[in-house]
């Protein structure tokens, strides 16, 4: 199988797995147990990982809170900040293409009296910093705008958005889950107060993620219990996964300079190859400001899920932004909502029913891209022949 | 290999759709759905003088379940009388496919509706009132 769904999670680096294993077999102590060696070993390893993660995003170790996943980091950032905010403002700004974990979180806050502004994006998925400036109000408590969109690959002008917030004195959270390991993340250069990253998106294990909270920014934990993570997150830490995340951060910091240019090269090949293949294939997202190795598109006459299924049968794992497969295990069809990201970037819903995303990792090779470009014409042709809309043109 | 969300039957019909294509001299054509909802299903019928479905073909723009539902529907239709075609329910299609995920049941409903539309078109081409299809359908539902 050729894996091209790396926005959904990357294959862990072998060095990461190796570093984790002893924390299941030997150093299995609870890191809160400081008075015997295996507890202390777990604690020390966790703190070393915290240092690696901090250094990866140019933060201090004490500014890193470990969580279980990107969704939890986003929830902690938004709800935890508002819970503790001295700012009594009831206005929140996000973009209209945020991940569910930001979009649904703020939507639920409407019940608590918050007002939400969703900033429009242009047809390449970019938020205009001037629009953010205009949307800010006296009662704006928080701005949360993602760094990289997993579905269409677009990378925002995060540093500029951050500068607008900083100037206005409004807290700025960045969901950088789809960016870590693919773009350099420097919390100071990005002018952010909080930033979410998840280990599984940069060759680490699932089950470990982090929220950066800038020194001085007040956030309350969402779970009540013990003192773990200095009260930001009660509950026994997932030490093996955190150790893995630390190693993944160390490797990414040291080696991103090698794999990112290669991903950019392969991306260009895939983009140019697909673009030259059919005049009814349309790319989504911004061509220049996009996640390295990420190509997304939709094809007229063809529904996203059937393309995804055919590619899967031919050995390619891709992502579909199709309305029809986004939540196939749902109990009723109401949950099969069309992608709001595609709608936001102006993809016409009367001719497009789902996009396809191919996102590479450092493990993808020239052969992989050659193979995709080889199977695409026959696959698309087959589905076109089946489509009642194809001959109409 | 780990099983996906679809049954083996659905996967088989998705990979090897039966009766896919068009009938140039069809005497009943039905199209339902719209691309905004992610499905368009078109059925072509050839009904002979004995009111038997001699041939049927389909074209579908849609997900795996939509393609498999159309394909299975055509298999169940060949050789059947018009009244038998109208008695073909979406549930029969779902059963023949060994089930569909709950969120995909509407694909089988579309197949039933496409058959209905095609038969209306058939009666119309014979100079009859297509409303006869609704009457027959209502009668079948009442009998069951």
């Amino acid at each position: 199988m050729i894996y091209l769904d790396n926005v959904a999670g990357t294959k862990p680096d072998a060095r990461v797995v190796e570093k984790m294993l002893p924390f299941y077999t030997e150093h299995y102590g609870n890191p809160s147990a400081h008075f015997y060696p295996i507890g202390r070993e777990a604690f020390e390893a966790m703190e070393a990982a915290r240092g690696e993660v901090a250094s990866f995003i140019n933060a201090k170790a004490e500014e890193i809170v470990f969580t279980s996943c990107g969704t939890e980091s986003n929830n902690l950032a938004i709800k935890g900040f508002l819970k503790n905010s001295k700012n009594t403002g009831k206005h929140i700004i996000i973009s209209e293409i945020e991940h569910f974990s930001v979009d649904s979180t703020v939507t639920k806050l409407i019940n608590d009296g918050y007002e939400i502004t969703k900033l429009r994006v242009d047809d390449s998925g970019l938020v205009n910093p001037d629009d953010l400036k205009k949307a800010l109000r006296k009662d704006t408590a928080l701005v949360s705008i993602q760094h990289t969109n997993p579905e269409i690959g677009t990378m925002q002008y995060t540093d500029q958005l951050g500068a607008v917030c900083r100037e206005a004195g409004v807290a700025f959270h960045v969901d950088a889950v789809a960016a870590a390991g693919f773009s350099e993340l420097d919390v100071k250069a990005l002018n952010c107060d909080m930033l979410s990253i998840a280990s599984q998106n940069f060759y680490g294990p699932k089950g470990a993620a982090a929220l950066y909270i800038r020194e001085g920014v007040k956030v309350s934990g969402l779970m009540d219990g013990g003192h773990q993570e200095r009260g930001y997150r009660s509950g026994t830490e997932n030490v093996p996964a955190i150790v893995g995340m630390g190693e993944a951060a160390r490797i990414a910091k040291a080696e991103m300079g090698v794999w990112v240019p290669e991903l950019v090269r392969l991306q260009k090949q895939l983009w140019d190859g697909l673009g030259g293949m059919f005049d009814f294939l349309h790319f989504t997202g911004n061509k220049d400001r996009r996640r390295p190795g990420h190509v997304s598109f939709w094809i007229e006459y063809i529904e996203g899920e059937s393309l995804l299924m055919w590619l899967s049968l031919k050995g390619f794992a891709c992502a579909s932004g199709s309305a029809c497969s986004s939540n196939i295990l749902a109990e009723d069809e109401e949950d099969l909502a069309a992608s709001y990201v595609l709608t936001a970037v102006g993809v016409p819903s009367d001719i497009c029913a789902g996009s396809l995303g191919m996102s590479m990792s450092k493990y993808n090779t020239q052969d992989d891209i050659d193979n995709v470009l080889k199977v695409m014409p026959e696959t698309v042709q087959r589905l076109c022949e089946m489509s009642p809309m194809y001959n109409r043109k | 290999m780990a099983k996906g969300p679809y049954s083996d039957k659905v996967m088989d019909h998705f990979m090897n759709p039966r009766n896919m294509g068009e009938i140039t001299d069809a005497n009943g054509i039905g199209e339902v759905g719209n691309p905004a909802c992610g499905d368009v299903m078109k059925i072509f019928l050839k009904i002979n003088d004995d009111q038997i479905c001699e041939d049927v073909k389909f074209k579908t723009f849609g997900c795996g379940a939509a393609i498999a539902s159309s394909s299975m529907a055509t298999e169940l239709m060949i050789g059947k009388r018009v009244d038998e075609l109208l008695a073909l329910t979406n549930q029969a299609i779902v059963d023949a496919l060994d089930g569909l995920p709950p969120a995909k049941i509407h694909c089988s409903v579309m197949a039933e509706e496409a058959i209905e539309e095609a038969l209306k078109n058939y009666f119309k081409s014979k100079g009859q009132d297509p409303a006869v299809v609704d009457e027959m359908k209502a009668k079948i539902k009442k009998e069951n």
Side-chain angles (χ1 to χ4, degrees):
Chain A
M1 185 197 66
I2 294 174
Y3 187 61
L4 291 169
D5 192 12
N6 286 282
V7 281
T10 45
K11 176 183 173 182
D13 190 295
R15 290 167 286 180
V16 167
V17 178
E18 199 184 332
K19 185 120 187 183
M20 289 171 68
L21 287 174
F23 291 87
Y24 287 110
T25 53
E26 296 163 47
H27 319 298
Y28 49 80
N30 188 315
S32 295
H34 293 273
F35 291 97
Y36 48 79
I38 60 166
R40 214 159 44 236
E41 284 156 10
F43 175 77
E44 279 165 12
M46 194 171 78
E47 293 314 304
R50 199 183 307 278
E52 295 291 359
V53 170
S55 150
F56 177 46
I57 58 172
N58 193 24
K60 288 182 240 170
E62 54 272 27
E63 292 174 317
I64 301 297
V65 175
F66 286 119
T67 67
S68 66
C69 58
T71 291
E72 188 190 337
S73 291
N74 287 342
N75 269 265
L76 177 60
I78 296 167
K79 290 190 268 199
F81 176 80
L82 294 171
K83 215 166 129 181
N84 205 321
S85 177
K86 282 182 193 146
N87 186 343
T88 51
K90 287 277 188 184
H91 181 228
I92 304 166
I93 300 175
I94 65 168
S95 84
E96 56 181 350
I97 59 167
E98 294 303 313
H99 186 258
F100 292 116
S101 56
V102 168
D103 193 272
S104 344
T105 299
V106 302
T107 301
K108 280 198 177 163
L109 287 169
I110 293 172
N111 296 332
D112 299 334
Y114 284 92
E115 238 185 281
I116 315 299
T117 297
K118 290 190 188 182
L119 294 175
R120 296 291 309 272
V121 294
D122 68 14
D123 59 9
S124 78
L126 284 172
V127 173
N128 184 335
D130 284 338
D131 290 348
L132 172 60
K133 207 170 198 169
K134 283 178 214 149
L136 285 169
R137 308 193 319 211
K138 274 206 177 89
D139 64 340
T140 304
L142 177 66
V143 174
S144 177
I145 297 173
Q146 72 193 173
H147 182 290
T148 297
N149 184 279
E151 194 171 331
I152 59 171
T154 300
M155 303 190 302
Q156 301 296 339
Y157 294 105
T158 303
D159 53 340
Q160 295 180 32
L161 297 168
V164 169
C165 294
R166 195 58 53 92
E167 199 192 321
V170 174
F172 180 45
H173 166 246
V174 176
D175 168 6
V177 170
F182 291 80
S183 310
E184 200 189 321
L185 293 173
D186 176 335
V187 290
K188 293 187 180 73
L190 293 175
N191 298 310
C192 62
D193 298 293
M194 293 178 281
L195 179 130
S196 306
I197 56 172
S199 144
Q200 61 153 338
N201 290 65
F202 55 97
Y203 315 106
K206 293 165 190 66
L211 179 66
Y212 155 78
I213 304 173
R214 189 167 66 85
E215 195 173 15
V217 173
K218 300 268 184 259
V219 172
S220 291
L222 302 181
M223 244 184 310
D224 295 315
H227 55 84
Q228 291 90 347
E229 294 298 300
R230 303 179 317 288
Y232 286 115
R233 187 187 193 265
S234 295
T236 302
E237 301 89 340
N238 185 352
V239 177
I242 289 170
V243 167
M245 182 175 187
E247 179 68 355
R250 182 193 68 76
I251 293 169
K253 192 181 177 196
E255 300 175 11
M256 257 175 70
V258 178
W259 74 59
V260 167
E262 177 63 3
L263 285 171
V264 170
R265 189 184 74 81
L266 292 175
Q267 170 185 300
K268 185 173 175 349
Q269 278 194 12
L270 182 57
W271 184 290
D272 292 346
L274 290 170
M277 224 170 254
F278 322 98
D279 57 1
F280 49 96
L281 180 147
H282 307 273
F283 292 106
T284 57
N286 191 290
K287 189 176 179 182
D288 304 313
R289 295 189 60 85
R290 64 185 301 114
R291 168 173 153 133
H294 186 293
V295 175
S296 54
F297 54 89
W298 59 279
I299 302 179
E300 287 177 58
Y301 325 116
I302 294 183
E303 192 274 335
E305 187 199 278
S306 48
L307 183 57
L308 180 78
M309 282 172 68
W310 261 116
L311 288 171
S312 166
L313 290 165
K314 290 184 185 263
F316 299 89
C318 309
S320 160
S322 161
C324 272
S325 55
S326 53
N327 190 10
I328 193 170
L329 301 180
E331 282 308 307
D332 70 80
E333 62 185 278
E334 296 303 309
D335 292 332
L336 293 178
S339 159
Y340 55 78
V341 176
L342 292 184
T343 310
V345 294
V347 172
S349 66
D350 59 333
I351 47 171
C352 167
S355 66
L356 201 83
M358 296 179 172
S359 52
M360 304 168 215
S361 76
K362 63 175 176 176
Y363 299 115
N364 287 112
T365 61
Q366 181 70 53
D367 274 359
D368 293 350
I369 302 314
D370 292 346
N371 279 324
V372 179
L373 291 172
K374 212 168 102 193
V375 303
M376 276 299 280
E378 56 193 79
T379 308
V380 170
Q381 189 54 36
R382 190 188 164 92
L383 288 164
C384 278
E385 276 163 18
M386 204 180 277
S387 171
M389 283 135 74
Y390 182 57
N391 291 334
R392 281 182 196 165
K393 202 174 177 185
Chain B
M1 200 177 79
K3 274 186 81 75
Y6 292 132
S7 71
D8 292 345
K9 277 257 178 71
V10 172
M11 289 309 290
D12 177 35
H13 278 261
F14 172 74
M15 286 186 283
N16 312 294
R18 329 292 202 257
N19 308 306
M20 198 268 287
E22 296 183 13
I23 301 176
T24 42
D25 58 342
N27 56 6
I29 298 175
E31 180 176 314
V32 293
N34 72 68
C37 306
D39 308 280
V40 179
M41 215 175 263
K42 195 168 180 180
I43 284 190
F44 303 79
L45 290 178
K46 189 83 195 279
I47 310 277
N48 68 17
D49 294 340
D50 301 324
Q51 296 231 322
I52 304 270
C53 175
E54 233 176 46
D55 196 10
V56 52
K57 294 250 189 280
F58 81 90
K59 281 207 163 182
T60 291
F61 162 88
C63 62
I67 291 168
S69 293
S70 340
S71 167
M72 180 54 90
T74 61
E75 279 221 310
L76 297 172
M77 289 164 75
I78 288 184
K80 297 270 167 59
R81 282 193 322 271
V82 167
D83 60 321
E84 288 173 324
L85 294 184
L86 282 167
L88 185 62
T89 62
N90 82 295
Q91 190 56 49
I93 297 166
V94 173
D95 292 345
L97 287 170
D98 291 339
L100 281 177
K104 296 285 189 173
I105 294 294
H106 71 280
C107 297
S108 65
V109 174
M110 278 187 64
E112 184 183 332
E113 287 168 357
I115 299 169
E116 241 180 278
E117 286 305 310
L119 286 171
K120 279 184 182 170
N121 180 260
Y122 161 74
F123 281 111
K124 218 168 152 186
S125 73
K126 295 262 141 196
Q128 296 178 41
D129 184 359
V132 68
V133 168
D134 297 322
E135 286 162 27
M136 288 167 79
K137 196 97 191 167
K139 199 177 149 214
I140 290 164
K141 279 213 172 118
K142 210 172 160 187
E143 278 166 7
N144 291 336

